[in-house]
Each structure stands twice: as C-alpha cells, then as structure tokens.
Amino acid sequence: MGTLVCKIELDKVKGITVQVDNADDQITQTVVMDGTSITITVKGPQETSTFVQKQDSIVVTVKDLTFDTDTITMKSKGVSQWTSQDTLTVKSTKDMTFTSSAKLTQTATSDAKLSSSANVNIEATSKLAMKGNMGAEMSTSGGEAKVDGVTLKLAGKTQAEMSGAMTKVSATGKLDLEASGMANLKGSITSVGGSLVKLG
C-alpha cells in the first residue's frame, strides 16, 4: 500500500469530517460528525458500506455483516422483524427453544417439514387439529400406530376402509354394525357365536 492522503475539516455548520484516501486500492474512508448524526463510510471500487448513528437509531448498510462473539443478547420493547430476501438458516449445536407468550404462527408457501432423529411430540392443552386439503397420511415403518381418545370417530364422505393381515373390532359394551344399504359379511370360514344370537 502506498501513501495515504488524510484530511480533517472543521466547520461550525457542517461539523467535523475526517477522510482517508487510499489511491492504490481505490478506497476512501470518511467519518462525518454533523451535530445530529455520525456517519462512517468506506467506499471501494466494487462496494460501499455505511454506519449511521443518530440519537435514536443506528443503520448499518453493508454487503456482508459478521458478528463473532461468545454471547449475543437482543431485546426489543416493540415490534421485532427479521426478513431475508434469500435463504434464512437458524442453527444451534445444542438445544433450541422457540417460545411465545401469545399466538405462534408458522407458514410456508411451499413444502413444510418437521423431522427429528429421535422422538417428536405434538401436544395441545386444548383442541388439536390436523388437516390436509389434498390428503392426510399417518404411517410408521415399525412399531405401533395408535389413536386413543375418550370417543373415537372415523368417517369417510364417500368411502371408509380398514384393512390388515389380522383385523379385530371389539367393544367391552355394545357393538353395532349397520348399513343403510347392502351389508356383506364374508370369509373363507365365517363364525357367528354368542350366548344369544338373533338373525333376521
């Protein structure tokens, strides 16, 4: 790097301006204190970054911003907003917690995926609703798939089907099998038994 050109200007109206010119690298560094704000500008041949501090705000404009620290604490008394015009990645090598004292909303205009290499628990102290406009599927590659509740209702607007290598329907009380149309009960071996059996 060659010789730098340094300038300091003092003005009772414009304030103080400090400027450093690096002609070899085509970089100009400027600090302006005008009585209301402090503006730091670094202008190069490709990019320009600025830091503007006022009594109630700080605005940083830069192509790449990096924080390297042991801990970070951010607090906001008002609305907080984080927007990325490209990919946004939030990552933790240890536990991560998202907590809201009010309503929590997560939306995606494309696919959404929730996965874990261990257990996944979804719990609601009130009503839990899961809905798919084009279909809904719950499956397990091993173990037991279980739906448990005080009352259980399975309904299909056009068709309902339950199948398995061995299928069992049981009730500790009354069991009703009814169809408003035709009802078929068929098997290679069919057994109907009970202390009292009524047909017809």
Side-chain angles (χ1 to χ4, degrees), residues 152-168:
L152 177 62
K153 293 183 179 181
L154 299 176
K157 291 184 179 180
T158 58
Q159 182 177 342
E161 181 177 339
M162 181 173 64
S163 63
M166 294 181 64
T167 304
K168 179 181 180 182

Side-chain angles (χ1 to χ4, degrees), residues 76-189:
S76 173
K77 294 182 179 179
V79 177
S80 298
Q81 183 175 351
W82 195 334
T83 302
S84 174
Q85 295 180 351
D86 206 321
T87 302
L88 175 62
T89 301
V90 181
K91 182 179 179 181
S92 175
T93 57
K94 294 187 178 181
D95 293 346
M96 180 183 293
T97 302
F98 287 97
T99 303
S100 175
S101 299
K103 183 179 179 181
L104 174 63
T105 302
Q106 291 179 298
T107 60
T109 56
S110 186
D111 293 345
K113 181 179 180 181
L114 173 65
S115 64
S116 173
S117 57
N119 297 329
V120 175
N121 295 320
I122 301 176
E123 181 178 350
T125 57
S126 186
K127 184 179 179 181
L128 174 64
M130 292 186 290
K131 180 181 178 181
N133 291 332
M134 300 300 295
E137 180 178 347
M138 182 179 68
S139 64
T140 175
S141 59
E144 181 183 38
K146 183 178 181 181
V147 179
D148 190 7
V150 177
T151 60
L152 177 62
K153 293 183 179 181
L154 299 176
K157 291 184 179 180
T158 58
Q159 182 177 342
E161 181 177 339
M162 181 173 64
S163 63
M166 294 181 64
T167 304
K168 179 181 180 182
V169 179
S170 63
T172 56
K174 184 180 179 182
L175 175 63
D176 291 329
L177 298 175
E178 183 179 346
S180 58
M182 181 181 294
N184 294 321
L185 178 63
K186 181 180 180 181
S188 56
I189 299 176

Side-chain angles (χ1 to χ4, degrees), residues 52-92:
V52 180
Q53 180 177 3
K54 297 181 180 180
Q55 62 175 336
D56 58 353
S57 67
I58 295 177
V59 178
V60 179
T61 305
V62 65
K63 182 179 180 180
D64 185 16
L65 179 63
T66 301
F67 292 99
D68 188 355
T69 178
D70 289 340
T71 60
I72 296 178
T73 301
M74 292 188 290
K75 294 182 179 180
S76 173
K77 294 182 179 179
V79 177
S80 298
Q81 183 175 351
W82 195 334
T83 302
S84 174
Q85 295 180 351
D86 206 321
T87 302
L88 175 62
T89 301
V90 181
K91 182 179 179 181
S92 175

Side-chain angles (χ1 to χ4, degrees), residues 16-46:
I16 301 174
T17 301
V18 179
Q19 181 174 311
V20 178
D21 289 326
N22 179 359
D24 291 347
D25 295 327
Q26 299 180 355
I27 295 176
T28 300
Q29 300 170 318
T30 307
V31 178
V32 178
M33 293 177 285
D34 60 7
T36 58
S37 65
I38 300 174
T39 303
I40 302 174
T41 305
V42 179
K43 183 178 180 181
Q46 288 85 29

